[in-house]
Structure formats: C-alpha cells, structure tokens
Amino acid sequence: MAATPAKPSTKPSSPNFSSGPCRKRPGWTFNVLEGAILGRSHRSNEGKAKLREVIDLTREVLEIPEDYRIGIVPGSDTGAVEMALWGLLGARGVDVFAWESFGDDWVKDIAQELELEDRRVFQSPYGELPDLLQADPSRDVVFTWNGTTSGVRVPDADWIDDSRTGLTICDATSAAFAMDLPWAKLDVTTWSWQKVLGGEGAHGMIVMSPRAIARLTDHVPRWPLPKLYRMVSRGLVSEGLFVGETINTPSLLAVEDAIDGLRWARDIGGMPALKARCQENFNRAAEWVSRNDWCDFLADREEIRSQTSLCLKIVDPDLTGNVAEQTKLAGAIVAKLAEENIAFDVGAYRTAPPGFRFWGGATVDARDLGLALEWLGWAYSETRRANANG
C-alpha cells in the first residue's frame, strides 16, 4: 500500500463535528446566556416574551409566510414530527418516503402504532433516494428533507404538486437554516434546536400552513392523543401554542441559547449567509474526497448529497464486501481522531454502512473541516499500516 502521509501539524480550532447536538456558533461563550430568565415561570410575561422572540426570529430568518403558524413543542424534532403524525393523519391515504433511520421511524409509527391501512411506503437503502414522483397529490405525504444519518437530501420540491389536496409533512431537522425550504410546498415542517444553529436539545419546532391548521379541526383522529400532542382544545385550535404558550415547561436557559443562535444567523446575513457557509463546507469535503481514492460520499449521485450531513464510506478495493473489517477499521480511525483531539463523534450512524459522518452545518468553519479531513486521511493510512504490520 502507499506510504503513510506525514502527520498533519495543524489541528482544527474545535474538534466538535457531531451531527447533533452540533457545534456552537463561532464566538459562542457562556456569557451569551446571561440574559436568561431563570427561576421564573415560562408563563410569566418575561418568559413568554422570550419564547415569542424565538418564534419571531425564526420567521424572520427563514422567511416564513405570515399566515403560517410557528410553535415550540416538546421532544425535539421527534416530538414535533409525531405531533403532526398523530394529530393530522387518518383523514386520507398517506405516502411515506424513507431512506435512512429517522424516515424508517416514521414508517414504523404509521404502520405499527397508528396502524393506517391506506398507506404506501417507498423506501431506499442508505445512499439512495426513492422515486419521489410516486407521490400522489390526493394523499398525505410524509418525508425527510435531509437524511441526517445517510447524507442524502431531496434535490428540490418540484415533485410536490402545487394543486395537491393532501398535506405534506416534512421532517427538516438537518435542513432548516441550511437549505431552501419552499414554504408553499410544505404544510408541516419540523426541526430541532440542536442542529444547524447549534442549540440545545429537547425542544422542537413545528411550522404549519393554513391548510394544516384547517385539518386540525376538520379531522378528529380515531386514536387517543397524549396531552403533549394536542393542538386542539374543545374543537378549536390552541392558538396560544403559536405565540409562545408551550404545552409543557421549556428550559428558559435553552431558550436563551436558541435566541443567541437566531440572532447570530440574522446578523451574519440570514439564509444566504447560512447556506453559503454550508456549501463552503460541502465544497471542502468534495475537494478532499476527490484526492482520496479510498473514501467517497455515501450518496453516489451529486444532486442528492447533503451539504450538512457529510456521510463518507470506505471504498478501498482491498476491503470491498468485507463489512466486518470496514467496521473495525472505521472504529479504530474514529477513536484515533478523538485521541488526537481532532474530531469527536464522527463515526457513521449505528445502522448506516461503516464509515464516517462529519457535520458541515453553518456553525462549522470550513477551515476546521478541511483540517479534520486531512487528519482523517492520515489516520486511515496509519491504521491500515499498523494493521498490516500487526
């Protein structure tokens, strides 16, 4: 095999490349939390003002239409998605598209928990995308915009019919604030704070179109709804949810952190700047992959590769088909990168093919990512050499 490249001399300024919770914004310190309303009720005027600020800043940065409702909900993105599934589905047939672990979870919810008989499931393995043109505009559609665990995203929303009569329910947790979300095509959109803006966990966001809001009162699910999923009270939409009156008690410390991330996003230039930072990270990764023939993107097609979830696979011909050896090798490399304080939490998702996953969202600096990938190349060669001599 080729000689091991020289050990890089420069380390990233931050080794945090986890895909969730993700790296804090550049320049973040604990001082940004000093304005948090601690020891107070989230239902106080001050507490509700903070929650409303999150909603207002979210609308501003993401350019969400004024007639769309925005809510802060419990349970991270999972809670937000399941709130939509439990509260809205069942009025008509549903098409579900899945190509990674979280999409698979929504399939299980619909098939095994809600037991919807009129369902069609379109699934693809890691690295591929189902045929989105199979979506029927008369049926509800559930899909993930960006596959966090697969590095596969939808290239656009052209496959969603403007004259549809069903609802589109989109899990956008690793796409929001990184990719264009065409609101006119999306009836329910969800994400969590700990992704692209590097917020804290446990809180989710849900954005609902007027058509989705109408479904809440036009359709009564046949299954019981837990309190955490209820968006309707006495036949009327719980409007307080969409002005900061949360269903359960949020962390006002996490709220303050979310406000800081949103203000940063606004102040650097909003969506154009956020997308540019993500694209720069992707370009840095693509350039590195082009120089390293042992590694490639998990997604073979360029147009479906994620700019945030940079999922890589081992394509060394000596290891082709040997999943056990690839898994062992990848694990050793991930451990070496952590020991060197180069990159933390960069192993592939547990159900994905063996390889690596670097977060490339807007809070990650492209220079840091480039340095980490150079170290990845060194760690690969060093580990392969050690195994050959061992």
Side-chain angles (χ1 to χ4, degrees):
M1 59 182 294
T4 301
K7 187 175 184 178
S9 58
T10 305
K11 295 185 177 184
S13 63
S14 170
N16 296 334
F17 293 97
S18 165
S19 294
C22 300
R23 184 190 297 188
K24 293 295 189 185
R25 66 162 176 86
W28 186 95
T29 69
F30 283 104
N31 293 336
V32 305
L33 304 177
E34 289 180 353
I37 305 297
L38 302 181
R40 295 291 307 277
S41 169
H42 63 294
R43 302 196 187 282
S44 67
N45 289 336
E46 293 83 355
K48 287 192 290 187
K50 291 287 187 179
L51 292 160
R52 183 58 187 262
E53 186 174 0
V54 171
I55 291 173
D56 291 344
L57 283 168
T58 296
R59 189 182 301 278
E60 179 183 354
V61 174
L62 291 179
E63 302 175 2
I64 299 171
E66 288 299 322
D67 58 349
Y68 278 51
R69 311 287 218 290
I70 305 172
I72 300 169
V73 300
S76 192
D77 178 61
T78 300
V81 173
E82 294 189 330
M83 177 179 283
L85 300 184
W86 260 252
L88 297 171
L89 294 185
R92 58 181 66 215
V94 59
D95 291 345
V96 195
F97 293 87
W99 54 91
E100 50 100 46
S101 63
F102 291 101
D104 291 345
D105 287 340
W106 314 144
V107 171
K108 292 173 184 175
D109 279 354
I110 290 167
Q112 299 174 19
E113 303 299 329
L114 299 181
E115 297 181 336
L116 290 174
E117 294 183 359
D118 189 3
R119 66 178 186 271
R120 300 194 304 167
V121 177
F122 303 91
Q123 290 180 282
S124 289
Y126 279 92
E128 299 179 18
L129 193 67
D131 181 7
L132 300 172
L133 295 178
Q134 294 294 316
D136 185 336
S138 70
R139 301 165 66 85
D140 293 335
V141 174
V142 177
F143 73 102
T144 303
W145 190 278
N146 183 78
T148 309
T149 63
S150 69
V152 172
R153 64 177 175 89
V154 296
D156 53 52
D158 294 347
W159 54 280
I160 299 175
D161 196 322
D162 290 332
S163 59
R164 66 192 179 281
T165 53
L167 299 180
T168 52
I169 299 175
C170 174
D171 172 358
T173 196
S174 55
F177 301 102
M179 305 171 193
D180 284 320
L181 298 176
W183 298 108
K185 300 275 192 178
L186 305 176
D187 294 302
V188 181
T189 310
T190 69
W191 65 88
S192 56
W193 291 351
Q194 72 263 29
K195 289 295 183 180
V196 179
L197 297 187
E200 293 303 299
H203 300 78
M205 298 295 294
I206 188 167
V207 177
M208 304 183 71
S209 73
R211 297 175 69 248
I213 292 294
R215 172 76 70 84
L216 283 177
T217 52
D218 292 347
H219 164 67
V220 178
R222 60 177 173 80
W223 42 78
L225 284 178
K227 178 182 177 180
L228 290 181
Y229 292 172
R230 294 176 200 158
M231 294 183 278
V232 174
S233 177
R234 299 178 182 178
L236 299 175
V237 174
S238 301
E239 293 291 351
L241 174 63
F242 304 107
V243 294
E245 297 174 9
T246 55
I247 294 173
N248 71 331
T249 304
S251 162
L252 290 176
L253 193 63
V255 166
E256 194 67 28
D257 190 57
I259 290 172
D260 174 73
L262 287 162
R263 288 175 178 170
W264 172 77
R266 177 196 62 192
D267 294 345
I268 67 169
M271 279 304 300
L274 295 169
K275 289 190 300 179
R277 288 180 64 88
C278 295
Q279 188 63 47
E280 185 179 4
N281 284 327
F282 175 82
N283 292 345
R284 191 68 64 97
E287 190 278 330
W288 180 86
V289 167
S290 71
R291 295 187 283 106
N292 289 267
D293 58 6
W294 64 270
C295 190
D296 200 357
F297 287 102
L298 183 56
D300 289 331
R301 291 194 287 141
E302 286 188 34
E303 66 272 18
I304 65 172
R305 290 174 184 163
S306 169
Q307 296 100 322
T308 57
S309 303
L310 306 174
C311 296
L312 305 172
K313 61 185 177 181
I314 297 171
V315 293
D316 186 328
D318 292 339
L319 300 175
T320 299
N322 193 337
V323 175
E325 188 61 30
Q326 289 184 23
T327 301
K328 180 180 177 182
L329 177 65
I333 292 170
V334 168
K336 185 178 290 291
L337 292 175
E339 289 169 4
E340 295 278 355
N341 289 317
I342 300 302
F344 299 148
D345 313 316
V346 294
Y349 192 71
R350 61 181 181 272
T351 59
F356 314 95
R357 181 174 59 153
F358 286 78
W359 181 250
T363 59
V364 173
D365 288 322
R367 179 178 182 274
D368 277 353
L369 179 63
L371 290 171
L373 291 172
E374 293 302 328
W375 278 87
L376 174 63
W378 168 81
Y380 170 80
S381 296
E382 181 73 9
T383 304
R384 287 281 279 143
R385 181 192 61 78
N387 289 347
N389 295 337

